[in-house]
């Protein structure tokens, strides 16, 4: 099979906002307790943070981390997580029916985020709480000094304000599962008034309003319109959440369908962009609302196991999906889709980061291992720099149960002008055929191939619990304005060129 692309320097979709490679830590399952935070563990530092986990997070080069939830957020009292640890209350977490000891809270998260070189994407509880508590949290975090809350922060060890820029106004407030779920108009009013109050404390904030928690929710569309109608002037982003599953293991055609799910992600993004712009036009506004895709991933492997977990434990094994090779292929494809929409998706968070539907796992023997999805995420987050270029790729297509015209070749190119580097991400979705990929580099001249890797050859159901998965070298022919490479069936590939 043949495939091609044309890479033109002037064809720019958008500069890449590195927050597109964000992730998410929720106070849920073992994300925090025995994940990020485990005092007494041989690899724990002076703050009780697992240094082996910190090293793995740094490899992913995640620039922004959403915290503290998730569903957990909607019943959380942020004040429980500050001050002397021995005075912090132990509470019931009604979202996940766990015990929350609050030994890890705001200051611990901020310190940890700093150690992994990430900034926070902080969320305020609009489920059981509201305007005052949100404004208080902004004051506690961002006001320099001289007020009760800012001085309390200083007393708790942070002399300098945290200067948190990006904030989520609640989580999945359209979801009936959410504690304190709201109708669209209830949420719109609360989010708008909360945004106004938060901005009075600090007018430099960037605020994210909740969009639909899934495109499948019955209120999708109506929710976005109602929320934006009321909040348009006081928010900067609208959120989207989407998780994908593989529902029929016995049907061999299901893999083709699964690998086409990035078309669904694309349609979701384009639909929400259209809604944002329709409200913009109706309001005759000059302001553009961009998107924060603040939860996305594959999530289904742990569903059955989770129904058997005993409630009211600290750090239970919840949402511990073990990802296989086909999941890594889909995650690669989803990342490329986010990149192709980088003109409007400015923030995105892989949900989540450690132990809970995560690329990084800690095991019961005290070690750390990397899931299959770690590899494509790590490569895109590290190498997808600069600008995204328009995709002019061509290849044969296929149809599946849900999707039509899925290209076998899925590819996107980024151009880092400062470092004169062109990075081509490419996936061959064909189950049996290689793909002869021809790259017309037009005005770019190849100086040399920096490196090229392929991720392939694993059984689609294989996972990386044994730590054996690895990227392999890929042979590329490149000279002048042209390159050519063979993409193996079911493979994820990354080509990096130094260009002139
Ligand atoms: O990421 C897991 C959960 O998925 C989050 O808590 C919630 O926001 C979403 O439903």
């Amino acid at each position: 099979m043949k495939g091609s692309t044309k890479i033109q320097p002037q064809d720019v979709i958008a500069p890449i906002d590195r927050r597109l490679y964000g992730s998410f830590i929720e106070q849920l399952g073992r994300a925090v307790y025995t994940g990020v935070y485990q005092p007494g563990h041989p690899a724990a530092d002076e703050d009780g943070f697992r240094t082996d986990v910190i090293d793995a997070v740094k490899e992913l080069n995640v620039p922004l981390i959403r915290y503290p939830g998730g569903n957990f957020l909607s019943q959380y009292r942020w004040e429980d997580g500050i001050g002397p640890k021995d005075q912090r209350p132990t509470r019931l977490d009604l979202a996940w029916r766990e015990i929350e000891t609050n030994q890890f809270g705001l200051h611990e998260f901020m310190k940890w985020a700093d150690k992994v070189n990430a900034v926070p994407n902080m969320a305020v509880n609009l489920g059981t709480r509201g305007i005052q508590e949100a404004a208080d949290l902004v004051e506690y975090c961002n006001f320099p000094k001289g007020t009760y809350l800012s001085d309390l922060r200083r007393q708790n060890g942070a002399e300098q304000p945290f200067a948190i820029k990006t904030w989520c106004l609640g989580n999945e407030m359209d979801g009936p599962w959410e504690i304190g779920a709201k109708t669209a108009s209830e949420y719109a009013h609360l989010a708008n008034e909360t945004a106004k109050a938060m901005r009075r404390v600090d007018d430099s904030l960037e605020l994210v309003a909740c969009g639909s928690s899934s495109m499948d929710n019955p209120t999708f569309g109506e929710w976005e319109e109602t929320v934006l109608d009321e909040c348009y002037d006081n928010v900067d982003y609208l959120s989207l959440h989407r998780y994908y599953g593989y529902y029929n293991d016995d049907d061999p055609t299901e893999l083709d369908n699964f690998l086409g799910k990035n078309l669904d992600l694309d349609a979701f993004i384009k639909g929400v962009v259209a809604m944002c712009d329709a409200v913009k036009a109706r309001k005759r506004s000059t302001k553009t609302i961009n998107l924060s895709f603040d939860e996305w991933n594959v999530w289904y492997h742990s569903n059955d196991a989770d129904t058997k977990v005993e409630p009211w434990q600290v750090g239970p094994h919840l949402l511990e999906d073990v990802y296989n090779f086909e999941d890594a292929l889909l995650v690669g494809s989803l990342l490329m889709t986010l990149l192709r929409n980088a003109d409007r998706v400015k923030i995105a968070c892989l949900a989540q980061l450690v132990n809970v539907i995560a690329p990084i796992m800690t095991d019961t023997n005290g070690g750390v291992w990397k899931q299959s999805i770690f590899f494509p995420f790590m490569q895109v987050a590290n190498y997808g720099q600069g600008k995204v270029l328009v995709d002019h790729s061509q290849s044969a297509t296929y149809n599946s149960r849900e999707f039509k015209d899925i290209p076998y070749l899925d590819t996107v190119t980024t151009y880092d002008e400062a470092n004169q580097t062109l990075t081509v991400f490419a996936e061959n979705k064909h189950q049996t055929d290689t793909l002869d990929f021809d790259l017309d580099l037009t005005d770019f001249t190849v100086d040399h191939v920096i490196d090229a890797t392929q991720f392939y050859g694993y059984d689609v159901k294989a996972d990386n619990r044994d730590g054996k998965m690895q990227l392999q070298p890929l042979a590329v022919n490149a000279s002048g304005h042209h390159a050519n490479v063979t993409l193996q069936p079911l493979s994820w590939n990354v080509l990096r060129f130094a260009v002139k």
Side-chain angles (χ1 to χ4, degrees), residues 24 26 70-71 96 171-172 177 243 295 299 319 352 357:
F24 178 26
E26 178 167 3
N71 297 343
W96 301 102
N171 177 71
E172 297 194 344
W177 55 84
Y243 293 99
E295 289 186 32
W299 173 15
L319 280 66
Q352 299 191 8
I357 44 175

Side-chain angles (χ1 to χ4, degrees), residues 223-236:
W223 177 276
E224 278 71 9
E225 204 177 326
T226 309
V227 169
L228 287 177
D229 254 340
E230 184 144 2
C231 300
Y232 203 92
D233 293 336
N234 291 314
V235 302
D236 306 287

Side-chain angles (χ1 to χ4, degrees), residues 131-158:
I131 306 167
Q132 187 63 62
E133 295 87 349
D136 285 352
L137 180 56
V138 178
E139 179 182 335
Y140 184 90
C141 291
N142 286 10
F143 201 77
K145 59 180 180 180
T147 65
Y148 171 72
L149 287 168
S150 57
D151 287 344
L152 188 58
R153 180 199 69 239
R154 296 168 64 220
Q155 194 183 308
N156 286 332

Side-chain angles (χ1 to χ4, degrees), residues 110-129:
M110 292 304 299
K111 213 171 201 183
W112 182 80
D114 204 42
K115 288 188 183 187
V116 298
N117 307 321
V119 296
N121 181 9
M122 191 59 68
V124 297
N125 173 359
L126 293 188
T128 58
R129 308 188 99 191

